Amino acid sequence: MVNFSLTLLLLFTLLLGHGIVELVEASDHHQSADPTSQPYRTGYHFQPAKNWMNDPNGPMIYKGIYHLFYQYNPYGAVWGNIVWAHSTSTDLVNWTPHEIALTPSDPVDGHGCWSGSATLLPRGKPAILYTGLVDSKETQVQNLAMPKNCSDPYLKEWFKYENNPILSAPIPINATLFRDPSTAWLGPDQRWRMAVGSLIDNREGLILLYTSKDFEHWIKTNNPLHSEKHTGMWECPDFFPVSTGDQNGVDTSILGPNVKHVLKISLFDYHRDCYTIGTYDVNKDKFIPEEGKVGGVPGLRYDYGKFYASKSFFDSAKNRRILWAWVNESSSWGDDIKKGWSGLQTIPRSLWLDKSGKQLVQWPIVEIESLRENQVDLPSKFLEGRSLLETSGVTAAQADIEISFEIKEFDKAEVLDPSWTNPQLLCSHKGASVESGLGPFGLLVLASKDLQEYTAVFFRIYKGQNKYVVLMCSDQSSSSLNNKNDKTSYGAFLNVDPVHEKLLLRSLIDHSIVESFGGGGKACITARVYPILAIENDAHLYAFNYGNEKVNITSLRTWSMKKAQINIANPIKSVASDESDKF
Ligand code: DQQ
């Protein structure tokens, strides 16, 4: 196999000498790096000031304020001592930290306050359902918590319902495999429904369903909402309707002919978030997938990279459904402890049903564009085979880039072997270093000047049996000279027709995270990378084409991203009120 770094390095020197590599300069203005920041700390992704963070919990909008709770270890940068930490925002971009919302207390959650969800009850009153760990054996129960003061839009203080737990594991469920209550939805019979993740008979993942008239007393339905054999434990279920007519989100309780339902589960054994689109029969309380299996591998995934334990909520202020997910580190525990923190949340994504009705589409919330500055535009141009194009004038370590490719000649496309059905495997066999007829072409991000380090996000086009097949990859194999990191390559087949459609790619680059959206959000891949050379102002950004056939860049637009104010302000004091809320 060709050593791509070396090849690109030689190619780069050669082409630069011949004036073939262009430097796209729009402005001399560079955002100066914050000298106090660590190279891997992000500028606009949600993370606590320090320590460990995992799942997003209970996202909601209440009295115009966005809330995000999250699984947090107050004492260190590794998982443990789990509480519900809490932050709020008015724009989903800048976040203010609050006091911890839920801390362990015997007997209902003395060993941990694990994941759960928020539900807005009639008259808008919020309630949290979460998993409590009652002993050191990880016995799990479900608990209810309510705000102490509903007139406080920041919902700073919470109390636990006096009759907790509201649920213990039913026979024959193993009580250590019973967790993560979903946002509840209200049926036409005026009963609430709540989904809980579980496992039976060793390998059958399932979603237990409970109903309640008053949100306090819950009864298990006879059948699970859905189950599948040989899939392992299902964590963090999310169940919600999506509109079939437009991109608007809908409230979690909406039923009817204009919606389909989405069931998302987090597959514990594979550490991936899978979903299926289907119909929900509210009378039988059954979810019927339209196609395939929710726990199938390969199946539909929100993100084909590092992305887990996601949770969505309906943003009634802007009529959209927003998705959050935990992005774990790819570094060693030792390095996490040294840097003092671990875990990010994705940029919140709007999510809707694709026109085909067969998959979801995701796109970073529009508010994130308020951080864009120093726009650099490149007019349409051909990128010859085996060439590079640098985009300068932006802070390449903290940037947003959108590129669009058009393909005119398909003759050189490699034939797709019918046995190549696993895109991730294909991307790891055919990384950015392997040239072919049509591709790889895409972006080299967080790249060092000499290309010893880079993360490659790219497309390859194959000749399938009766159509062209587009593969999207995120190749981390050369992302860092530090070999202790997990550098797995990720991949997805992208459901676009390159003959009639442009190939769109957007990447949000933020020091140690690269979130990429292919085909306008039809396939998403998130990667964590820790370059040693390509940090701060030494990071570079290139468009590249390592295939034999030229491709046309129809547009290339790049922005520096400003730093967001995330969890650095002092906690907001709760709004004084005489009102003492009871459930
Ligand atoms: N994380 C939580 C659990 C959940 C898991 C514990 C998913 O409730 O199942 O921190 O990452």
Side-chain angles (χ1 to χ4, degrees):
M1 188 187 289
V2 191
N3 178 329
F4 186 48
S5 302
L6 204 65
T7 312
L8 272 184
L9 179 60
L10 288 173
L11 184 74
F12 184 70
T13 322
L14 206 80
L15 296 180
L16 189 61
H18 289 79
I20 297 171
V21 169
E22 294 170 35
L23 299 183
V24 188
E25 292 275 3
S27 129
D28 288 328
H29 178 75
H30 286 250
Q31 190 179 310
S32 62
D34 174 3
T36 60
S37 70
Q38 303 168 346
Y40 306 135
R41 206 161 166 91
T42 61
Y44 59 97
H45 278 76
F46 184 99
Q47 59 179 133
K50 59 179 180 178
N51 296 335
W52 167 275
M53 169 177 70
N54 56 301
D55 315 352
N57 290 156
M60 67 174 141
I61 180 165
Y62 181 69
K63 292 188 190 284
I65 303 289
Y66 292 104
H67 292 255
L68 182 67
F69 304 84
Y70 54 91
Q71 296 277 283
Y72 179 64
N73 179 358
Y75 306 113
V78 293
W79 187 89
N81 315 301
I82 293 295
V83 302
W84 274 48
H86 180 202
S87 298
T88 58
S89 170
T90 52
D91 58 6
L92 290 163
V93 174
N94 301 288
W95 291 87
T96 305
H98 295 275
E99 301 294 340
I100 285 167
L102 299 174
T103 48
S105 54
D106 285 327
V108 296
D109 57 18
H111 289 255
C113 299
W114 281 17
S115 282
S117 310
T119 303
L120 293 173
L121 304 179
R123 284 176 277 122
K125 196 168 179 170
I128 282 175
L129 296 165
Y130 72 100
T131 298
L133 251 65
V134 298
D135 56 29
S136 57
K137 289 185 247 147
E138 300 199 341
T139 301
Q140 293 151 27
V141 296
Q142 312 316 323
N143 294 323
L144 174 60
M146 280 82 60
K148 277 194 183 161
N149 173 6
C150 283
S151 64
D152 173 11
Y154 300 105
L155 300 172
K156 201 167 164 263
E157 291 181 283
W158 291 77
F159 72 95
K160 296 174 188 169
Y161 173 54
E162 56 193 4
N163 292 329
N164 277 338
I166 53 164
L167 290 176
S168 299
I171 294 168
I173 296 294
N174 177 334
T176 65
L177 303 168
F178 175 61
R179 56 182 177 264
D180 309 335
S182 70
T183 294
W185 62 98
L186 194 60
D189 55 3
Q190 295 310 304
R191 281 180 174 272
W192 288 98
R193 271 96 172 145
M194 163 218 319
V196 180
S198 193
L199 172 83
I200 42 169
D201 295 339
N202 289 325
R203 296 278 305 142
E204 180 167 352
L206 83 162
I207 302 295
L208 296 165
L209 190 69
Y210 289 85
T211 66
S212 172
K213 271 189 181 157
D214 58 6
F215 225 81
E216 293 176 48
H217 303 92
W218 294 84
I219 303 165
K220 191 172 80 61
T221 56
N222 287 336
N223 298 308
L225 178 68
H226 190 59
S227 73
E228 281 168 19
K229 290 194 172 25
H230 314 300
T231 49
M233 173 69 190
W234 290 2
E235 299 185 309
C236 302
D238 201 12
F239 187 60
F240 56 88
V242 280
S243 165
T244 50
D246 53 38
Q247 297 182 359
N248 288 337
V250 286
D251 183 88
T252 311
S253 297
I254 296 292
L255 296 167
N258 301 327
V259 298
K260 290 188 182 189
H261 271 76
V262 175
L263 175 63
K264 184 281 304 190
I265 51 163
S266 300
L267 273 186
F268 178 78
D269 289 5
Y270 300 92
H271 219 74
R272 57 177 62 172
D273 277 20
C274 302
Y275 73 90
T276 307
I277 295 159
T279 48
Y280 170 45
D281 182 338
V282 70
N283 298 317
K284 295 193 183 128
D285 269 318
K286 268 291 195 206
F287 172 68
I288 304 117
E290 266 175 13
E291 242 175 64
K293 290 181 162 194
V294 64
V297 177
L300 285 171
R301 289 168 63 183
Y302 279 160
D303 191 298
Y304 294 81
K306 208 145 237 197
F307 181 104
Y308 195 63
S310 62
K311 199 167 284 298
S312 72
F313 75 103
F314 173 58
D315 175 7
S316 54
K318 295 202 171 167
N319 275 332
R320 56 188 174 172
R321 184 159 285 271
I322 292 179
L323 180 70
W324 285 99
W326 166 41
V327 186
N328 198 0
E329 302 297 310
S330 292
S331 46
S332 67
W333 277 25
D335 283 351
D336 293 346
I337 290 165
K338 257 190 248 157
K339 70 188 192 327
W341 58 271
S342 176
L344 302 174
Q345 301 295 331
T346 53
I347 293 302
R349 301 173 180 181
S350 294
L351 154 146
W352 64 90
L353 187 66
D354 181 47
K355 275 197 215 107
S356 67
K358 292 187 181 308
Q359 68 158 103
L360 298 174
V361 181
Q362 297 158 63
W363 199 245
I365 49 153
V366 66
E367 288 88 335
I368 208 71
E369 294 171 22
S370 65
L371 296 175
R372 287 171 165 178
E373 63 179 6
N374 299 344
Q375 182 173 328
V376 176
D377 278 348
L378 177 79
S380 174
K381 80 177 267 73
F382 278 102
L383 196 55
E384 297 297 329
R386 303 171 62 77
S387 66
L388 274 174
L389 177 69
E390 178 164 15
T391 297
S392 60
V394 293
T395 53
Q398 197 172 301
D400 184 358
I401 177 160
E402 290 185 19
I403 189 164
S404 152
F405 295 98
E406 188 177 44
I407 315 301
K408 293 261 175 27
E409 291 296 327
F410 289 85
D411 289 354
K412 292 184 186 158
E414 197 181 328
V415 173
L416 184 74
D417 185 314
S419 69
W420 295 346
T421 52
N422 182 331
Q424 170 152 7
L425 217 55
L426 203 48
C427 288
S428 43
H429 288 320
K430 298 197 178 230
S433 58
V434 183
E435 79 183 77
S436 74
L438 257 180
F441 57 88
L443 300 170
L444 299 182
V445 308
L446 293 170
S448 59
K449 186 76 190 157
D450 58 4
L451 291 173
Q452 282 193 71
E453 291 182 331
Y454 58 85
T455 294
V457 188
F458 60 86
F459 299 119
R460 260 176 213 283
I461 299 179
Y462 291 99
K463 226 175 264 166
Q465 282 185 331
N466 39 32
K467 60 173 188 176
Y468 290 102
V469 175
V470 180
L471 178 71
M472 174 178 167
C473 300
S474 182
D475 175 2
Q476 286 68 244
S477 56
S478 296
S479 58
S480 173
L481 296 177
N482 179 353
N483 288 324
K484 283 188 293 172
N485 302 319
D486 168 14
K487 297 184 191 171
T488 307
S489 287
Y490 309 120
F493 289 119
L494 186 61
N495 189 16
V496 296
D497 169 8
V499 179
H500 299 105
E501 289 172 71
K502 293 191 177 117
L503 282 179
L504 311 176
L505 176 62
R506 177 176 180 189
S507 287
L508 292 169
I509 303 154
D510 197 2
H511 301 271
S512 62
I513 182 168
V514 181
E515 276 187 74
S516 299
F517 301 81
K522 286 185 175 179
C524 310
I525 305 183
T526 298
R528 297 301 309 278
V529 290
Y530 311 88
I532 287 176
L533 307 172
I535 56 169
E536 306 289 2
N537 290 334
D538 293 326
H540 295 261
L541 181 57
Y542 301 91
F544 82 103
N545 177 15
Y546 198 52
N548 294 321
E549 184 62 84
K550 66 176 178 300
V551 294
N552 189 13
I553 298 179
T554 55
S555 94
L556 172 56
R557 188 165 274 200
T558 317
W559 298 264
S560 297
M561 292 295 269
K562 287 180 272 190
K563 198 173 167 61
Q565 300 292 301
I566 298 180
N567 294 327
I568 50 176
N570 288 330
I572 292 178
K573 293 271 175 286
S574 74
V575 172
S577 164
D578 294 337
E579 191 187 328
S580 166
D581 277 296
K582 290 251 158 48
F583 186 65

